[in-house]
Amino acid sequence: MRDHSDLQTMNERSLAQQAAVRRATFSPAEEKTLRPFSIWEISQFMFDVPADTLRKKLADDPSLPQGTVEEDGRQRWFTLAEINELRRRVRFRGHTLLPKRPPGRAMRVAVSNFKGGVGKTVVAQHLANAAALDGYRVLVIDFDPQATLTHSMGLVEVKEWNTVWGIMCRDLCREADRIAAAYDDPADCPYPTADELPEDVQSIGAQRIQDFIQKTAWATIDIIPSCANAAFVEFASAQYRAMHKAWSFFGCVARYLDELPQDQYDLIIFDCPPAIGYQSLNAAFAADILYIPSGPGYWEYDSTTSFLGQLGDALEDISDGFGKVAEDAGIRLPKRFDDVRLLMTRFEASNPLHVAMMDAFRNVFGDDVCQHPIEMTRAVEQSGRFQQSVYEQDYRQMTRETWKRARQSFDAAYAEFRQVVLRAWEAKASRKDGEA
């Protein structure tokens, strides 16, 4: 017979193995650092100019970042900060290297599905990395208690009050006081005020807006992390909801993000848990765009179908049952997304079954299916094994063609993602102009 102590022992053994992986992958201090990028990568994959043209720009203006030259003198390597300075200062044929950024707040994208193993975290991580290399400032939010995205971004020790759970506690305190203040006599309010909530909720609720945001190894990617202890957020949220029935629990993250300065980030990407609960509903209500990864098998198709149905039902239930609560909180129902996209992952173009499943997806979902799937390559497999995205992997540690093929697959998926985001962003900006 086995009990909880066996599970704890297994956990301790696994944590030791995780530490060994981090020591092999990260720096000796177990801090993840971002590798530099070569002129070949920058010219071909980021700036889209000939390498010799970029070299001439650098030679003509010694005040520009010059990178670090290898000992043999054959290659220059640049940090992401240096690349971003080049974006700001260099123009080619009069064209800026800065990415297009419509006015308004950052666009928010939720990467979500039921099924584990379909690549939600891989997609969220690679989209964030690609956007950062494209010149955008990115915030990623890890809603998943498995915290894989958090670990891949180099964070190891995370306290639960610095996760989405902390944001929900903060929101509950603020909303409790707002609701009470709406009564002519706050004593008439049938719901608790912030100072009547549990002490741990009050202490967490006192955090400032920027306290939840942490730096990553990427200069232009920040994160609101997750941790294993955050798994109890579903239980705690249910308790808080029972305690305060006028709390619009599904709007916590949206309200939090609305408090951030509009120009602090360009993109906000959510990595969602494989379930529909308090966290995933918060992600859905905060998102402008819903990205749904799915593998190329029937079970993934079946799970995606269930996810669409159950998320749709949950959003409908909230629209029907929480109309007054949402109206009082300034939330517009029903929840509307600017776009919904399905992205095929782990795709092998040479596999007839995968091609057949892609055809089936397109037959059912039409243009909502992304044109560019994520291909399964050796570099993609290693990204999960070593907690490094394809963009973080050094192409010198494998054949250049293997790395290049994986990079091109993610670049194509990202280019399509950027089109989707910019189209929705410009439409949102136009609506705002019309309202003004």
Side-chain angles (χ1 to χ4, degrees), residues 180 183 185-190:
Y183 286 80
D185 184 354
D188 293 336
C189 179

Side-chain angles (χ1 to χ4, degrees), residues 278-298:
Y278 287 94
Q279 294 189 80
S280 54
L281 284 174
N282 261 275
F285 268 91
D288 301 305
I289 296 170
L290 184 61
Y291 243 66
I292 306 171
S294 177
Y298 177 78

Side-chain angles (χ1 to χ4, degrees), residues 8-27:
Q8 292 167 341
T9 300
M10 294 168 70
N11 170 256
E12 290 169 2
R13 292 206 306 266
S14 183
L15 288 173
Q17 179 61 33
Q18 284 181 341
V21 171
R22 284 195 295 270
R23 284 193 297 272
T25 307
F26 299 174
S27 70

Side-chain angles (χ1 to χ4, degrees), residues 218-236:
W218 289 70
T220 50
I221 300 179
D222 293 339
I223 187 171
I224 295 175
S226 184
C227 66
N229 286 350
F232 72 91
V233 68
E234 297 298 320
F235 304 103

Side-chain angles (χ1 to χ4, degrees), residues 395-406:
Y395 59 82
R396 295 170 296 180
Q397 296 177 356
M398 63 187 78
T399 64
R400 183 177 290 199
E401 285 306 309
T402 297
W403 179 88
K404 187 175 178 180
R405 180 184 160 204

Side-chain angles (χ1 to χ4, degrees), residues 182-207:
Y183 286 80
D184 292 334
D185 184 354
D188 293 336
C189 179
Y191 311 109
T193 56
D195 58 7
E196 295 174 314
L197 295 171
E199 290 185 7
D200 59 337
V201 175
Q202 293 183 50
S203 62
I204 295 170
Q207 292 188 92

Side-chain angles (χ1 to χ4, degrees), residues 14 23-24 83 86 127 136 180 184 190 192 200 218 220 245 249 289 304 326 332 341 356 384 392 395 427:
S14 183
R23 284 193 297 272
I83 294 169
L86 290 174
L127 290 179
Y136 288 109
D184 292 334
D200 59 337
W218 289 70
T220 50
K245 297 188 185 304
F249 60 89
I289 296 170
T304 298
R332 185 177 300 175
R341 308 286 290 175
E392 293 171 313
Y395 59 82

Side-chain angles (χ1 to χ4, degrees), residues 228-390:
N229 286 350
F232 72 91
V233 68
E234 297 298 320
F235 304 103
S237 299
Q239 290 179 320
Y240 304 155
R241 168 64 189 151
M243 189 184 307
H244 200 302
K245 297 188 185 304
W247 177 44
S248 51
F249 60 89
F250 45 87
C252 303
V253 173
R255 282 189 288 266
Y256 168 81
L257 294 177
D258 285 343
E259 291 184 68
L260 293 176
Q262 283 199 349
D263 61 351
Q264 186 169 350
Y265 299 104
D266 305 311
L267 286 170
I268 302 177
I269 298 174
F270 310 151
D271 185 26
C272 300
I276 291 179
Y278 287 94
Q279 294 189 80
S280 54
L281 284 174
N282 261 275
F285 268 91
D288 301 305
I289 296 170
L290 184 61
Y291 243 66
I292 306 171
S294 177
Y298 177 78
W299 295 119
E300 287 94 341
Y301 171 78
D302 184 65
S303 180
T304 298
T305 301
S306 297
F307 171 74
L308 290 167
Q310 293 190 39
L311 179 59
D313 290 345
L315 295 179
E316 182 182 29
D317 289 345
I318 287 176
S319 294
D320 292 343
F322 295 89
K324 185 63 171 66
V325 167
E327 181 182 349
D328 291 344
I331 298 174
R332 185 177 300 175
L333 294 177
K335 166 63 187 177
R336 289 185 170 90
F337 297 102
D338 292 321
D339 209 339
V340 177
R341 308 286 290 175
L342 292 98
L343 174 64
M344 185 73 74
T345 60
R346 298 187 292 105
F347 182 76
E348 297 176 9
S350 60
N351 188 323
L353 293 177
H354 291 194
V355 173
M357 284 306 302
M358 176 66 87
D359 291 341
F361 266 77
R362 287 177 174 156
N363 182 55
V364 173
F365 301 113
D367 292 339
D368 290 334
V369 179
C370 295
Q371 292 297 309
H372 297 283
I374 304 297
E375 295 184 20
M376 174 55 72
T377 67
R378 176 170 169 263
V380 174
E381 289 180 314
Q382 288 187 349
S383 70
R385 180 182 176 189
F386 296 111
Q387 298 185 19
Q388 289 183 325
S389 73
V390 167

